[in-house]
Amino acid sequence: SQQGEEDPQALSIQEGENATMNCSYKTSINNLQWYRQNSGRGLVHLILIRSNEREKHSGRLRVTLDTSKKSSSLLITASRAADTASYFCATEETSGSRLTFGEGTQLTVNP
Amino acid sequence: ETGVTQTPRHLVMGMTNKKSLKCEQHLGHNAMYWYKQSAKKPLELMFVYNFKEQTENNSVPSRFSPECPNSSHLFLHLHTLQPEDSALYLCASSQEGSGFTGELFFGEGSRLTVL
């Protein structure tokens, strides 16, 4: 089974609301990364959080990491229609294996 | 612009054709990657090159043949593909450290359709 799993698979909200996506993983990690993908385009890196960090902010994004629960969350505050995209978490395991991606959360922000 | 350019953006080929996907990175990174993205499946890592040397091949069928002539260019040669190979093929680059992949910079992808 895959390393990272996002929850929910799909999320639909209104502009201005906050969006929260979760990621769970199975093994020890060096870092966890969040990426965004607009339909039919490449992935864009959003934020990287290291295993010794608990929270990180970047603009309207807030990422938390709980290594004891092997989970992370991505919060997008004051969402905009332009935030509509798929969001993926990716983990870099301590075993040295490559980044492993989850299946993603499809976020739709309705104007 | 992410600094990673992929061509072509769209490709339709028959099962007996031979075609190539091209990727170029302008970021000075030492590692380049090919990923496959199929509908409703996680990204699948296909190949990794570090300083032109292939460091990973994730049991990819031989009908996919990578080539990395230098650390800025990466090709994926395609021949006798199957319809199930239809997918979005993504190229990425990163500055790898010792046991550290780092942030990946992706191209826009090549949408491949095999008839």
Side-chain angles (χ1 to χ4, degrees), chain B residues 4 16 19 33 36-38 48 52 64 70 87 105-106:
Chain B
V4 179
T16 57
K19 297 286 184 182
Y33 311 75
K36 176 183 178 182
Q37 187 177 35
S38 305
V48 182
K52 305 190 302 178
F64 294 92
N70 55 61
F105 290 77
F106 284 86

Side-chain angles (χ1 to χ4, degrees), chain A residues 24-91:
Chain A
S24 59
Y25 58 92
K26 295 180 172 62
T27 63
S28 296
I29 61 171
N30 286 329
N31 66 69
L32 185 145
Q33 304 180 32
W34 285 92
Y35 289 80
R36 165 199 168 121
Q37 183 181 34
N38 285 40
S39 181
R41 309 289 293 274
L43 279 73
V44 176
H45 182 267
L46 295 176
I47 201 163
L48 180 153
I49 187 165
R50 302 188 192 284
S51 59
N52 61 354
E53 297 175 309
R54 292 297 167 257
E55 188 171 311
K56 209 160 181 181
H57 297 255
S58 177
R60 293 183 296 113
L61 305 181
R62 173 180 168 240
V63 168
T64 61
L65 179 64
D66 187 334
T67 52
S68 66
K69 295 181 180 178
K70 290 187 169 55
S71 67
S72 173
S73 67
L74 170 66
L75 169 67
I76 303 175
T77 60
S79 63
R80 306 165 182 168
D83 294 328
T84 294
S86 292
Y87 292 82
F88 297 87
C89 70
T91 51

Side-chain angles (χ1 to χ4, degrees), chain A residues 2 30-31 33 35 37 40-45 48 50 88 92 96-99 101-103, chain B residues 9 33 35 37 40 42-43 45 48 55-56 88 90 96 99-104 106-108:
Chain A
Q2 65 207 51
N30 286 329
N31 66 69
Q33 304 180 32
Y35 289 80
Q37 183 181 34
R41 309 289 293 274
L43 279 73
V44 176
H45 182 267
L48 180 153
R50 302 188 192 284
F88 297 87
E92 183 168 337
S97 58
R98 302 297 180 176
L99 273 182
F101 285 82
E103 291 188 19
Chain B
R9 292 291 312 278
Y33 311 75
Y35 281 88
Q37 187 177 35
K40 302 195 184 303
L43 261 69
L45 178 62
V48 182
T55 57
E56 192 143 340
L88 182 67
L90 291 162
E96 279 193 344
F100 176 74
T101 297
E103 171 187 345
L104 293 179
F106 284 86
E108 295 284 27

Side-chain angles (χ1 to χ4, degrees), chain B residues 11-115:
Chain B
L11 179 62
V12 179
M13 58 187 289
M15 292 167 61
T16 57
N17 291 159
K18 286 185 181 183
K19 297 286 184 182
S20 296
L21 306 181
K22 178 183 175 182
C23 178
E24 182 175 0
Q25 59 102 354
H26 311 275
L27 302 168
H29 288 161
N30 59 8
M32 296 187 76
Y33 311 75
W34 280 117
Y35 281 88
K36 176 183 178 182
Q37 187 177 35
S38 305
K40 302 195 184 303
K41 291 176 70 174
L43 261 69
E44 299 173 54
L45 178 62
M46 300 175 72
F47 301 104
V48 182
Y49 279 81
N50 188 300
F51 284 117
K52 305 190 302 178
E53 301 297 321
Q54 187 179 123
T55 57
E56 192 143 340
N57 175 340
N58 275 355
S59 303
V60 180
S62 59
R63 57 185 183 270
F64 294 92
S65 174
E67 178 191 359
C68 189
N70 55 61
S71 55
S72 298
H73 293 85
L74 186 64
F75 296 88
L76 188 61
H77 303 300
L78 316 168
H79 60 100
T80 58
L81 295 191
Q82 306 297 314
E84 60 264 29
D85 296 322
S86 299
L88 182 67
Y89 289 84
L90 291 162
C91 174
S93 71
S94 76
Q95 186 59 30
E96 279 193 344
S98 175
F100 176 74
T101 297
E103 171 187 345
L104 293 179
F105 290 77
F106 284 86
E108 295 284 27
S110 294
R111 172 68 63 187
L112 173 66
T113 302
V114 181
L115 302 177

